[in-house]
Amino acid sequence: MYDADSADGIATLDSELGPTGRPLHEFPDPAPLVGHGPARIIALCNQKGGVGKTTTTINLGATLAELGRRVLAVDFDPQGALSAGLGVQTHDVPTIYDLLLGRGIDPRSAVQRTSVEGLDVIPANIDLSAAEVHLVTEVAREQILAGVLRKLAPEYDVILVDCQPSLGLLTVNALTAAHGVIIPLECEFFALRGVALLVETIDKVRDRLNPAIRLDGILATMYDARTLHSREVLERVVDAFGDEVLETVITRTIKFPDATVSGTPITQFAPEHQSSRAYRQLARELIVRGAVA
């Protein structure tokens, strides 16, 4: 029933196509790492809100940690949803805002452990909403986050930056610091409209600030195979972006908000749920693609 590709060891399910219209693969578990760091920095970015950026940051971080990677998640949204979703303190503690504006602060002082072994987080709160105003007069203002993360990179294998839903100065900071970008895309028409603008922004950052940045993939989220609309949107995305669309697709489920309320990743809240399996598949796919060590 499965064929193993001799080149990469990826199992292919004969004649069965996935939601993206391509053959389904079962990506293998990666070999253990012999050492850790320096981290590859990945920004999860989309200027539209509610497309699954935070959910993906939390659960991708958790599944990569399950695979033995040391992961740092950076909450870069003033709403602080990532911090809440991982159940960490955001008040009366150092946050990413303090690291951006406070000279001489050790970034390690803002790192908090989570309930997932191998997954740490730098929290954010509403204070971050004032950061753009303060940063606008700074020299090399687009590169301040890069300077912060550079000090932490040797201790991690991957750093995931959960961006706010805008293309402002904070998001440009994240793109300037990043080696790669994952675009979570809700399978809905209005979400599709903004992808071209975001890709254009990434191209501008590559030309002017960060020549090394690349698009690691577009991740279809909130997919509902029962609706023609979801299927048509996903088909249009694949037609437009081809192999840049990740094979893994995240379906819509009530389990995600339930896990958020519990302050844990879905892989802990419902480890056998199909969405937990999907995020484990996503982690393995990104490792196979070379986006993560």
Side-chain angles (χ1 to χ4, degrees), residues 173-231:
N173 256 267
L175 294 176
T176 303
H179 301 101
V181 183
I182 294 173
I183 303 176
L185 177 68
E186 180 186 7
C187 291
E188 193 267 340
F189 176 71
F190 290 112
L192 176 60
R193 293 177 64 193
V195 174
L197 178 60
L198 177 54
V199 171
E200 182 181 322
T201 300
I202 294 169
D203 288 341
K204 287 180 180 178
V205 170
R206 182 184 298 113
D207 290 341
R208 303 173 187 177
L209 295 166
N210 181 7
I213 194 171
R214 79 177 200 194
L215 178 59
D216 286 338
I218 297 172
L219 174 67
T221 63
M222 303 183 188
Y223 178 73
D224 188 343
R226 300 170 298 179
T227 69
L228 178 61
H229 185 72
S230 270
R231 297 197 301 271

Side-chain angles (χ1 to χ4, degrees), residues 11-36:
T12 303
L13 185 60
D14 285 343
S15 72
E16 186 171 348
L17 300 180
T20 64
R22 293 169 290 186
L24 282 173
H25 293 96
E26 185 65 34
F27 296 101
D29 285 334
L33 293 176
V34 296
H36 296 284

Side-chain angles (χ1 to χ4, degrees), residues 17-260:
L17 300 180
T20 64
R22 293 169 290 186
L24 282 173
H25 293 96
E26 185 65 34
F27 296 101
D29 285 334
L33 293 176
V34 296
H36 296 284
R40 190 166 186 274
I41 302 170
I42 301 175
L44 288 96
C45 185
N46 193 321
Q47 72 271 31
K48 185 180 185 300
V51 298
K53 291 188 298 296
T54 300
T55 296
T56 295
T57 306
I58 291 171
N59 294 293
L60 175 58
T63 51
L64 286 171
E66 283 183 359
L67 294 172
R69 276 59 186 168
R70 290 181 180 170
V71 184
L72 176 65
V74 179
D75 195 343
F76 215 47
D77 185 342
Q79 298 178 65
L82 174 70
S83 306
L86 286 170
V88 300
Q89 179 64 262
T90 63
H91 295 284
D92 300 321
V93 295
T95 66
I96 190 63
Y97 173 80
D98 300 306
L99 301 183
L100 292 175
L101 299 180
R103 302 185 187 280
I105 298 178
D106 185 352
R108 295 170 188 80
S109 67
V111 174
Q112 295 189 38
R113 303 284 184 255
T114 71
S115 60
V116 180
E117 184 178 355
L119 174 60
D120 297 339
V121 62
I122 296 179
N125 56 35
I126 195 62
D127 292 345
L128 187 60
S129 61
E132 290 198 10
V133 176
H134 293 296
L135 291 177
V136 75
T137 58
E138 293 283 334
V139 176
R141 58 185 178 269
E142 300 92 353
Q143 299 172 359
I144 295 176
L145 179 64
V148 171
L149 299 184
R150 195 179 302 121
K151 299 174 183 176
L152 294 166
E155 301 175 21
Y156 295 94
D157 301 307
V158 59
I159 297 175
L160 303 175
V161 183
D162 181 28
C163 298
Q164 66 174 346
S166 82
L167 295 180
L169 183 54
L170 290 181
T171 299
V172 171
N173 256 267
L175 294 176
T176 303
H179 301 101
V181 183
I182 294 173
I183 303 176
L185 177 68
E186 180 186 7
C187 291
E188 193 267 340
F189 176 71
F190 290 112
L192 176 60
R193 293 177 64 193
V195 174
L197 178 60
L198 177 54
V199 171
E200 182 181 322
T201 300
I202 294 169
D203 288 341
K204 287 180 180 178
V205 170
R206 182 184 298 113
D207 290 341
R208 303 173 187 177
L209 295 166
N210 181 7
I213 194 171
R214 79 177 200 194
L215 178 59
D216 286 338
I218 297 172
L219 174 67
T221 63
M222 303 183 188
Y223 178 73
D224 188 343
R226 300 170 298 179
T227 69
L228 178 61
H229 185 72
S230 270
R231 297 197 301 271
E232 287 181 339
V233 168
L234 184 51
E235 182 180 352
R236 289 182 62 177
V237 174
V238 174
D239 286 344
F241 295 98
D243 288 341
E244 290 181 331
V245 181
L246 295 166
E247 181 179 317
T248 305
V249 172
I250 308 301
T251 56
R252 189 183 297 272
T253 173
I254 191 61
K255 289 293 185 182
F256 286 129
D258 288 347
T260 299

